[in-house]
Amino acid sequence: MAELLKGAPVAKALTQKVAERSSALVEKGVTPKLAILRVGEREDDLSYERGATKRAEKAGVAIEKIVLPADCTQDQLMDAIKHINSDSSIHGCLMFRPLPKTLDEAAACAALDPAKDVDGITEGSLYGVFANRPVGFPPCTAEAVVALLEHYGYELRGADVTVVGRSLVIGKPVSMMLQAKNATVTMCHTKTRDLAAHCKAADIVVAAAGHAKTVGADALREGQVVIDVGINWDAEAGKLVGDVDFDAAEPIVSAITPVPGGVGSVTTAILCKHVVDAAERTLA
């Protein structure tokens, strides 16, 4: 049986470290603060907001919620972003996406100050990831993958990693972050010819394709570590599943993240870490 790489211990350890850094900042007169910018009442946004709020409380990060109606105008949204950019007490912003189709999401992302972009939605943050420079912050889920692997003691230097997925949210940034740790990364996607062979050759497989059971038993071998970033609803089974066929993979590989309870549970801890990072940068 494979070792289950649960996210809860990783999130707990990260939160404790962030809380200590938050306390040190408070002693210097700075309270790390996250602005949560939400448009409308989407249930998935509300669920993540609840989790982020609970995590922030444990991490010593203050929360300011800015909630706009689903039918708000572009001007109202841009005014909210201007407020976040100009308020020196706010160190980071989490803007829920996708925004309603009536709004220009690209313009909203571009308007946010990269220094306060704690979830990697601006071009400035993405430049920082690709150039391996401290500009903005990487997407929280991408960093959560790296944090989870490091927490469980897996050596990334020299490791062969196959990343399945090429989005700017996970696939591309996590590939860059793994290369910055001196891993050798192969990027694949659902159109890759002989995807199974690329996965089977890797020491570590990161599945982030956004499609249930993209990675099956034919793509895996003994000794591998599998990080499943996918979150998909399986109507037939009536439950959330990942991008990996867990039941087929678990007897084969040496370690695998569960879904839910794996990478996703680490993301809010990374979010709080980014807010504290941003607060510390203001004192540098």
Side-chain angles (χ1 to χ4, degrees), residues 173-205:
V174 82
S175 295
M176 294 298 104
M177 295 177 76
L178 288 166
Q179 287 184 62
K181 297 289 184 179
N182 295 309
T184 300
V185 179
T186 300
M187 282 191 67
C188 299
H189 44 80
T190 55
K191 301 297 189 295
T192 296
R193 187 178 302 159
D194 202 355
L195 175 62
H198 288 289
C199 291
K200 189 170 283 189
D203 303 313
I204 299 170
V205 176

Side-chain angles (χ1 to χ4, degrees), residues 36-41 49 65-69:
I36 295 179
L37 177 54
R38 172 166 51 83
V39 178
E41 304 287 331
E49 183 179 299
K65 296 181 183 179
I66 302 171
V67 181
L68 300 174

Side-chain angles (χ1 to χ4, degrees), residues 7 15 18 23 35 102 124 201 215 265:
T15 302
V18 171
S23 296
T102 54
V215 178
S265 57

Side-chain angles (χ1 to χ4, degrees), residues 51-101:
T53 301
K54 290 179 181 177
R55 182 67 60 186
E57 183 178 346
K58 294 177 181 177
V61 172
I63 296 285
E64 178 178 328
K65 296 181 183 179
I66 302 171
V67 181
L68 300 174
D71 60 354
C72 74
T73 65
Q74 186 75 21
D75 285 344
Q76 288 175 309
L77 175 60
M78 300 303 272
D79 284 344
I81 294 172
K82 287 177 184 176
H83 160 68
I84 291 166
N85 287 344
S86 62
D87 188 338
S88 61
S89 74
I90 294 174
H91 302 100
C93 173
L94 171 65
M95 181 172 70
F96 285 115
R97 298 178 300 159
L99 293 171
K101 295 183 185 294

Side-chain angles (χ1 to χ4, degrees), residues 24-47:
L25 283 167
V26 170
E27 290 178 1
K28 297 176 182 178
V30 177
T31 299
K33 183 191 286 187
L34 171 68
I36 295 179
L37 177 54
R38 172 166 51 83
V39 178
E41 304 287 331
R42 285 168 49 105
E43 183 51 45
D44 53 347
D45 290 348
L46 291 169
S47 176

Side-chain angles (χ1 to χ4, degrees), residues 83-144:
H83 160 68
I84 291 166
N85 287 344
S86 62
D87 188 338
S88 61
S89 74
I90 294 174
H91 302 100
C93 173
L94 171 65
M95 181 172 70
F96 285 115
R97 298 178 300 159
L99 293 171
K101 295 183 185 294
T102 54
L103 298 173
D104 186 339
E105 183 172 305
C109 291
L112 181 63
D113 182 353
K116 298 189 179 188
D117 172 24
V118 290
D119 197 22
I121 67 172
T122 63
E123 291 183 359
S125 282
L126 290 172
Y127 163 76
V129 173
F130 280 72
N132 194 25
R133 293 185 60 188
V135 179
F137 298 90
C140 293
T141 303
E143 187 167 333

Side-chain angles (χ1 to χ4, degrees), residues 114-262:
K116 298 189 179 188
D117 172 24
V118 290
D119 197 22
I121 67 172
T122 63
E123 291 183 359
S125 282
L126 290 172
Y127 163 76
V129 173
F130 280 72
N132 194 25
R133 293 185 60 188
V135 179
F137 298 90
C140 293
T141 303
E143 187 167 333
V145 170
V146 178
L148 191 146
L149 284 165
E150 292 185 327
H151 176 89
Y152 282 101
Y154 292 105
E155 178 60 62
L156 295 176
R157 182 183 181 88
D160 290 318
V161 183
T162 292
V163 175
V164 184
R166 52 184 169 178
S167 76
L168 284 174
V169 177
I170 301 170
K172 289 177 180 177
V174 82
S175 295
M176 294 298 104
M177 295 177 76
L178 288 166
Q179 287 184 62
K181 297 289 184 179
N182 295 309
T184 300
V185 179
T186 300
M187 282 191 67
C188 299
H189 44 80
T190 55
K191 301 297 189 295
T192 296
R193 187 178 302 159
D194 202 355
L195 175 62
H198 288 289
C199 291
K200 189 170 283 189
D203 303 313
I204 299 170
V205 176
V206 178
H211 299 282
K213 299 182 179 180
T214 298
V215 178
D218 63 327
L220 303 169
R221 59 172 172 77
E222 292 182 3
Q224 286 181 308
V225 176
V226 177
I227 308 298
D228 192 348
V229 186
I231 299 268
N232 310 283
W233 178 253
D234 186 331
E236 185 176 335
K239 64 178 182 179
L240 289 172
V241 298
D243 288 356
V244 177
D245 185 342
F246 182 88
D247 291 338
E250 193 269 340
I252 301 172
V253 301
S254 67
I256 187 170
T257 55
V259 176

